[in-house]
């Protein structure tokens, strides 16, 4: 029995879309391994809970860095686990479409193909994140009009203008959600003498983070370790501080959007002014990010209906409509 799945293999999370069932998996791209014998202790949700909390004999880390495979073997094991989890029955043929950032090299593309094949797939197709996100957001990518999508994931931001089933111009940078978290960690260490982990930084970003000044600033209590005394402390953090911490990262993404617009042909730029910029990915959910883009580009900005799931949904839809959407694929591998 055949099985068609779309995979958004992200730095922060891996999402899987199954034909006929929708999103069937959404788990952190994290794996915990024993240092003594390299035995896998946990994958996904269980492994993320171990980040920053593991004893000396166990390491929990992310095998995907900035949208590309950093550890091939661990990526294979993670994919095997996720695919087996969603395809519990014995499938003779697993077809997959995997999303990748638009800026990856040929070597990085082959690594994704090989990892997916080794994990059990029989056919692997690759599609750019921006294209998959556009399809998942409901954009008619084959139409003879220009549409702009800004996909802000955990490790990369992909901004593209799409028309007639192809990407006309795009920018891909390895700055996005995780970059915000790291910026918060460094800011608190420098200005508050406070050490926090990446999970705490992510919670702060979600609770009070913003890209544009708020009408009423927010505040959150943050627990960490004082770098001077070495003791655990609780401090109050305001949203304007976190906005300052993330400013450089936000500006880089804003510049990428402007560059993409500058390189867009006039006719398609006119279409974008009418249709607006579609935001997808978890990074795009940062408070005020759409407002920031609107103020700086004077173009309407809209959030996709399911921003976190757009890329995986798009990958799955490509398999469901493979005949009409085959042209959006980059490569295909079989075994």
């Amino acid at each position: 029995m055949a099985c068609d799945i779309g995979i958004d293999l992200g730095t922060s999370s891996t999402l899987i879309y199954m034909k006929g069932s929708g999103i069937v998996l959404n788990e952190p791209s994290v794996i915990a391994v024993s240092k003594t014998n390299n035995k896998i202790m946990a994958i996904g949700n269980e492994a993320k809970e171990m980040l920053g909390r593991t004893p000396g004999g166990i390491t929990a880390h992310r095998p995907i860095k900035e949208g590309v495979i950093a550890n091939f073997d661990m990526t294979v094991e993670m994919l095997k686990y996720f695919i087996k989890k969603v395809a519990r029955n014995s499938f003779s043929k697993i077809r997959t479409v995997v999303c990748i950032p638009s800026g990856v090299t040929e070597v990085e593309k082959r690594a994704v193909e090989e990892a997916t094949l080794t994990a059990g797939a029989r056919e692997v197709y690759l599609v750019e994140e921006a294209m998959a996100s556009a399809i998942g957001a409901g954009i008619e990518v084959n139409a003879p009009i220009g549409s702009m999508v800004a996909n802000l994931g955990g490790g990369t931001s992909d901004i593209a203008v799409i028309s007639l089933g192809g990407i006309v111009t795009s920018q891909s940078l390895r700055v996005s959600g995780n970059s915000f978290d790291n910026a918060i960690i460094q800011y608190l260490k420098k200005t508050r003498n406070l050490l926090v982990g990446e999970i705490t930084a992510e919670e702060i970003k979600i609770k009070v983070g913003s890209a544009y000044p708020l009408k009423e600033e927010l505040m959150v209590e943050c627990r960490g370790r004082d770098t001077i005394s070495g003791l655990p402390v609780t401090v109050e953090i305001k949203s304007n501080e976190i906005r300052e911490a993330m400013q450089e990262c936000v500006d880089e993404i804003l510049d990428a959007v402007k560059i993409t617009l500058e390189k867009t042909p006039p006719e398609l730029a006119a279409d974008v002014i009418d249709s607006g910029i579609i935001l997808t990915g978890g990074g795009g959910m940062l408070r005020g990010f759409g407002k920031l883009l609107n103020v700086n580009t004077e173009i309407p900005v809209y959030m996709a209906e399911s921003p976190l799931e757009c890329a995986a949904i798009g990958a799955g839809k490509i398999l469901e409509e493979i005949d009409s959407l085959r042209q959006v694929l980059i490569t295909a591998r079989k075994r």
Side-chain angles (χ1 to χ4, degrees):
M1 182 178 177
C3 173
D4 288 348
I5 59 176
I7 302 176
D8 179 11
L9 186 60
T11 302
S12 297
S13 301
T14 295
L15 286 82
I16 295 181
Y17 176 101
M18 182 175 286
K19 184 177 180 179
S21 302
I23 299 292
V24 292
L25 182 137
N26 182 354
E27 294 201 26
S29 302
V30 183
I31 187 166
V33 181
S34 169
K35 287 182 179 179
T36 55
N37 56 12
N38 283 331
K39 181 181 178 181
I40 295 172
M41 308 302 292
I43 297 173
N45 289 322
E46 291 181 16
K48 186 175 181 180
E49 292 176 0
M50 298 181 181
L51 280 173
R53 295 187 173 96
T54 56
I58 300 174
T59 57
H61 52 92
R62 303 181 187 275
I64 309 294
K65 301 285 187 183
E66 297 180 337
V68 298
I69 293 175
N71 187 306
F72 182 85
D73 293 334
M74 289 188 184
T75 300
V76 169
E77 293 302 321
M78 186 175 74
L79 277 173
K80 278 183 182 177
Y81 173 81
F82 289 152
I83 291 173
K84 185 178 180 181
K85 195 170 184 177
V86 301
R88 294 183 178 87
N89 299 323
S90 178
F91 291 95
S92 60
K93 183 178 180 182
I94 299 177
R95 279 199 315 178
T96 66
V97 168
V98 185
C99 305
I100 59 170
S102 58
V104 299
T105 65
E106 289 300 320
V107 172
E108 290 166 341
K109 288 178 187 175
R110 285 196 294 273
V112 174
E113 291 173 331
E114 290 296 335
T116 311
L117 290 170
T118 306
R122 294 296 181 270
E123 291 183 47
V124 180
Y125 301 93
L126 300 185
V127 63
E128 291 175 320
E129 287 269 4
M131 179 63 77
S133 296
I135 294 170
I139 295 173
E140 294 292 334
V141 297
N142 286 329
I145 59 172
S147 301
M148 187 170 189
V149 61
N151 178 62
L152 279 60
T156 61
S157 293
D158 288 273
I159 298 99
V161 173
I162 296 166
S163 179
L164 291 171
I167 291 179
V168 179
T169 182
S170 67
Q171 290 288 311
S172 180
L173 61 159
R174 296 182 178 184
V175 176
S176 200
N178 286 0
S179 304
F180 295 157
D181 299 340
N182 292 330
I184 291 170
I185 291 171
Q186 296 304 317
Y187 179 87
L188 293 179
K189 181 180 179 181
K190 182 179 179 180
T191 63
R192 293 295 199 98
N193 298 316
L194 184 70
L195 287 178
V196 299
E198 60 180 276
I199 293 179
T200 300
E202 184 180 24
E203 290 174 353
I204 294 170
K205 176 186 68 180
I206 292 170
K207 289 179 179 178
V208 302
S210 68
Y212 196 80
L214 305 172
K215 290 182 179 178
E216 192 172 320
E217 297 295 346
L218 305 173
M219 186 181 67
V220 65
E221 284 193 346
C222 172
R223 294 180 177 87
R225 179 161 58 85
D226 188 284
T227 58
I228 298 174
S229 68
L231 300 175
V233 293
T234 300
V235 299
E236 291 182 345
I237 306 293
K238 293 183 179 179
S239 53
N240 61 309
E241 295 178 86
I242 301 307
R243 187 164 56 252
E244 181 183 341
M246 300 186 296
Q247 189 66 56
E248 187 175 339
C249 297
V250 169
D251 286 346
E252 285 190 57
I253 298 172
L254 178 59
D255 288 343
V257 171
K258 289 179 178 178
I259 291 170
T260 305
L261 288 168
E262 288 169 4
K263 292 183 177 180
T264 302
E267 291 81 4
L268 296 181
D271 292 337
V272 171
I273 291 173
D274 291 334
S275 61
I277 301 170
I278 308 299
L279 282 179
T280 66
M285 297 172 69
L286 180 67
R287 286 179 192 83
F289 193 82
K291 175 71 172 176
L292 181 76
L293 289 185
N294 174 250
V295 168
N296 283 272
T297 63
E298 298 183 353
I299 295 173
V301 179
Y302 306 100
M303 180 70 70
E305 187 175 337
S306 302
L308 289 168
E309 301 174 347
C310 278
I313 292 172
K317 283 186 175 180
I318 291 169
L319 281 172
E320 291 179 356
E321 303 171 34
I322 190 74
D323 292 332
S324 61
L325 292 174
R326 187 176 293 276
Q327 70 198 70
V328 308
L329 299 170
I330 302 172
T331 60
R333 286 279 302 278
K334 299 181 182 181
R335 69 165 183 171

